[in-house]
Amino acid sequence: MGRFASTAALYEHLRPPYPSEFFRSVAQKLGLSRESSLIDLGTGPGLLALGFGPYVGRVVGVDPEPAMIEAARHAAAGAGRHITLIEGKAEALAPDIGSFDVVTIGCALHWMDRDLTLALLDRLLARDGAILICASFSATDGRNPWLDGYNEVRRRWSPARLWEEAGRGTRTHRDLPAFFRGSSFQPAELVTVETNHVVSAQDLAQRTLTYSSSSPEAVGDNVEAMLRDVEEQLASFHHDGAIAETIVSTAQIVKR
């Protein structure tokens, strides 16, 4: 079973969403058109592939987890969109896959082998193309006062090795200059879109199950106990079960 096999059914609906304004802003910044092509590495349930779909002509999604590929296929069908989906590791893509104007990577870069990924990006990216390292997350600057306690509960229920692994991955994901240092790529402009929405305390608790360090596979028989613990932690922050959340969605543009 893959790292995210037990999270696929929940991931699409419970992770902090990418808003429509995000895709529109990035597409305008890059001047995308129906002549453009895009490949999404580590596509998961296809959030980025589907979001950018209306702004490009060809979309390919790649993921090593069969359950995620199936979730992306279902989401694409529900949205009436065509996406070419490939099950497997991005680093193992066939040489004849071609080149793309845009290569997107969401919450996957820190799981990928650096040297193999840099070589792959050099092969996949068209001459004047752009890499987008994307993320959507709860603002950590105090505007989500429930967040620190929420993460502390997750940490308590997560196996220590998985929590440490997730922490290392987060730091790697954010240290993009180090990742691309010595390569032909360089981080350029950062596009940031902030949005506010209301999420139920129950959905926030369920969101814990979409992270590898607190997934059903990781927590095992303690799932229900963890969910109760999270909901108790959130109790003082909601009114009638609703909690305000500020979300930050970013796209780091990387070019040659």
Side-chain angles (χ1 to χ4, degrees), residues 176-190:
L176 294 181
F179 186 88
F180 289 105
R181 188 172 297 128
S183 73
S184 60
F185 304 106
Q186 186 172 16
E189 188 172 355
L190 179 69

Side-chain angles (χ1 to χ4, degrees), residues 26-220:
V26 176
Q28 290 175 347
K29 179 68 64 176
L30 295 181
L32 299 182
S33 73
R34 299 300 293 177
E35 301 301 315
S36 304
S37 57
L38 180 149
I39 186 167
D40 185 30
L41 306 182
T43 195
L47 302 183
L48 293 174
L50 286 170
F52 283 115
Y55 301 97
V56 299
R58 179 192 180 203
V59 182
V60 176
V62 184
D63 201 281
E65 181 55 63
M68 285 296 191
I69 289 292
E70 183 56 34
R73 183 175 291 112
H74 184 267
R81 304 266 180 81
H82 174 72
I83 300 176
T84 299
L85 294 168
I86 300 174
E87 180 187 324
K89 290 187 175 182
E91 300 93 326
L93 279 171
D96 61 359
I97 189 69
S99 62
F100 296 82
D101 301 295
V102 182
V103 179
T104 57
I105 305 176
C107 298
L109 187 64
H110 55 279
W111 302 116
M112 300 167 73
D113 180 277
R114 179 180 180 272
D115 291 338
L116 292 177
T117 299
L118 289 174
L120 173 66
L121 292 172
D122 195 50
R123 174 164 64 89
L124 288 179
L125 194 65
R127 181 174 180 180
D128 296 319
I131 301 165
L132 299 176
I133 309 299
C134 302
S136 195
F137 52 91
S138 303
T140 58
D141 56 6
R143 285 179 289 172
N144 295 309
W146 49 268
L147 185 60
D148 287 344
Y150 174 86
N151 285 332
E152 174 57 26
V153 173
R154 284 207 308 120
R155 186 195 66 77
R156 288 203 304 266
W157 287 100
S158 300
R161 64 177 180 80
L162 292 181
W163 188 260
E164 292 169 3
E165 183 182 66
R168 288 195 300 272
T170 300
R171 289 193 294 273
T172 301
H173 180 75
R174 292 176 179 174
D175 192 5
L176 294 181
F179 186 88
F180 289 105
R181 188 172 297 128
S183 73
S184 60
F185 304 106
Q186 186 172 16
E189 188 172 355
L190 179 69
V191 178
T192 301
V193 174
E194 296 188 0
T195 52
N196 297 285
H197 75 155
V198 174
V199 61
S200 72
Q202 184 178 27
D203 280 354
L204 268 183
Q206 291 281 324
R207 186 187 290 175
T208 62
L209 304 178
T210 71
Y211 298 100
S212 62
S213 56
S214 54
S215 67
E217 182 184 3
V219 179

